[in-house]
Amino acid sequence: MSDDIFSKLFELFDQPGPINWKLAAEVARSIAGDRSPVEPWAAEEYRELARLIEFRLEQISPLRVLEASDVAPVDRRQWIEDKLESYGRVVEPFGDSISGEGPAAPLMAQLRPAMIGLQVGTLVGSLSQWSMASFDAGIPPDPQGALSIVVENVTALEQTSTADVKEVRLWVVANEVAFRTVAAVPWAQDHLAGLIETYAGAVKIDPTQLSGLMMGGSDPAAIESAIEDAGGIEKLLGGEEAEGPRRELEAFLGAMSGCARLLARRSTSELLVGFDQISEERDRLRETDLEASAPLIGIGSVPPEATRLGDEFNQEVERRYGDDALVTLWSDPTRMPSAAELRDPTAWAARVLLDGWE
């Protein structure tokens, strides 16, 4: 971050609320860059594709399909404007991790809204550089909101994929419609919030890394130097206790994104023979993207491996228990696989069978 960003961080300490949204917006915009006009044809094409997939998905999905209120092809800057506050729920619960004891307590309380704002802005700005839609990052959208497609990032995939341009766009829309369908399961959002809260509760700032931060007082340059000396803000977070909750959170996001991929594949049956080829190409690119934009606190996106495991897991449940198995699986959060079970459907089956699932 530049000295200018850190100066503004301290200027905004007295802003009310748990998140400094002004700072978050400035950081996100600086990462996303300038606006890029979206071609007029894009809205019509993506809207037609979305309605086609919604219709086809209704024919095969065991889950209820909600028609998107609107389909909005946008540039990276507009995506940030539309989505910034919705990503606050992913980071805000981690505010309590930014705390101190004794003389450190007042400073950390003052730092908290700005640091959370910095995290939200960094997360959303980083996602805007490569995420094509909500499914790509794996963080569920508001099912009632518009279906947003980041056209610049779709174009980037078109340029690297061996598939036809129209096939890539159909693949993107099918995955997003399917992901919104899974995200609309009545208990999904509350269950996700609970997993995030549990993870956030286990994350603690490593106090041994804070001495430089305290010595910096209110000098932005000194604070920035202290954070860099500590290895970045992410290095300030410690605690093995957080590893288990993080894995469980990723497992649930993997189950969601994997089920969405399964439904998207079926909704494009006979229309998109290269579905799995595009999926493999995108997964390879996403692994690179994630390495370049790892979240500082919280969870930025679901790893591609978790999506692949979730896809295989949902298929295995259906294979073992029949066509209606996905309805039963997604009827209750207690039937969701743990991190270990996502890799071992047999262990999951033993647990749910003991619960009396027929």
Side-chain angles (χ1 to χ4, degrees):
M1 290 296 170
S2 67
D3 290 345
D4 184 57
I5 289 295
F6 274 84
S7 297
K8 290 178 180 178
L9 183 152
F10 281 89
E11 290 172 8
L12 297 172
F13 272 164
D14 293 331
Q15 294 293 316
I19 298 177
N20 189 323
W21 288 111
K22 184 174 181 180
L23 179 63
E26 289 182 4
V27 171
R29 289 170 188 149
S30 70
I31 296 173
D34 297 330
R35 293 192 180 277
S36 177
V38 176
E39 295 292 339
W41 57 261
E44 181 177 355
E45 177 176 354
Y46 281 110
R47 187 173 293 111
E48 288 179 354
L49 289 174
R51 300 313 180 205
L52 170 64
I53 295 300
E54 286 171 346
F55 172 77
R56 291 180 65 91
L57 198 58
E58 285 177 349
Q59 313 306 308
I60 57 93
S61 174
L63 307 177
R64 182 186 176 197
V65 180
L66 296 179
E67 183 176 302
S69 59
D70 191 17
V71 179
V74 296
D75 66 355
R76 293 167 179 164
R77 188 68 173 266
Q78 186 60 51
W79 185 83
I80 281 174
E81 303 294 340
D82 294 343
K83 303 297 183 182
L84 181 64
E85 292 196 15
S86 68
Y87 275 84
R89 66 191 174 114
V90 179
V91 177
E92 184 177 351
F94 293 84
D96 289 340
S97 301
I98 303 174
S99 60
E101 298 178 356
L107 175 59
M108 296 309 294
Q110 192 178 32
L111 277 168
R112 189 179 300 126
M115 291 185 74
I116 293 298
L118 179 62
Q119 304 311 301
V120 176
T122 302
L123 168 61
V124 177
S126 297
L127 289 176
S128 75
Q129 294 296 295
W130 59 267
S131 179
M132 300 180 293
S134 296
F135 82 91
D136 213 17
I139 305 298
D142 175 5
Q144 306 297 329
L147 189 157
S148 296
I149 302 290
V150 186
V151 176
E152 293 166 272
N153 296 338
V154 176
T155 300
L157 178 61
E158 293 169 356
Q159 293 171 345
T160 59
S161 175
T162 57
D164 180 77
V165 166
K166 292 185 177 181
E167 290 183 331
V168 171
R169 293 172 188 167
L170 179 62
W171 181 88
V172 170
V173 173
N175 276 280
E176 182 64 2
V177 172
F179 190 59
R180 288 168 61 89
T181 296
V182 181
V185 169
W187 51 264
Q189 299 287 346
D190 288 342
H191 186 60
L192 174 61
L195 289 169
I196 292 175
E197 289 282 355
T198 300
Y199 177 29
V203 170
K204 299 298 178 186
I205 292 287
D206 182 355
T208 64
Q209 298 283 1
L210 291 177
S211 57
L213 191 62
M214 302 308 164
M215 294 296 292
S218 60
D219 179 11
I223 293 292
E224 181 176 7
S225 177
I227 290 174
E228 290 177 352
D229 289 345
I233 292 177
E234 68 275 16
K235 296 299 183 182
L236 295 175
L237 299 176
E240 296 180 0
E241 297 166 354
E243 190 61 22
R246 181 191 64 78
R247 287 196 298 266
E248 296 307 321
L249 173 57
E250 287 187 353
F252 177 60
L253 293 174
M256 290 188 71
S257 58
C259 183
R261 179 170 289 186
L262 181 154
L263 295 177
R265 182 187 296 110
R266 290 179 181 172
S267 72
T268 56
S269 174
E270 300 176 1
L271 296 178
L272 186 52
V273 295
F275 183 94
D276 286 332
Q277 170 194 327
I278 300 174
S279 298
E280 291 171 4
E281 292 173 342
R282 185 57 187 153
D283 284 349
R284 285 196 296 270
L285 288 173
R286 279 188 59 212
E287 286 167 353
T288 302
D289 293 331
L290 290 176
E291 290 175 0
S293 59
L296 301 182
I297 61 176
I299 183 166
S301 58
V302 60
E305 181 186 17
T307 297
R308 291 191 292 268
L309 289 170
D311 183 9
E312 294 168 1
F313 177 86
N314 279 273
Q315 289 187 64
E316 182 67 6
V317 169
E318 204 171 46
R319 185 187 69 79
R320 290 184 181 218
Y321 301 106
D323 295 340
D324 295 330
L326 290 183
V327 176
T328 306
L329 171 65
W330 288 94
S331 66
D332 191 310
T334 64
R335 302 198 190 283
M336 286 292 99
S338 67
E341 291 169 347
L342 194 67
R343 297 174 176 273
D344 186 359
T346 301
W348 168 85
R351 177 173 64 83
V352 297
L353 284 174
L354 289 173
D355 286 342
W357 184 8
E358 295 181 358

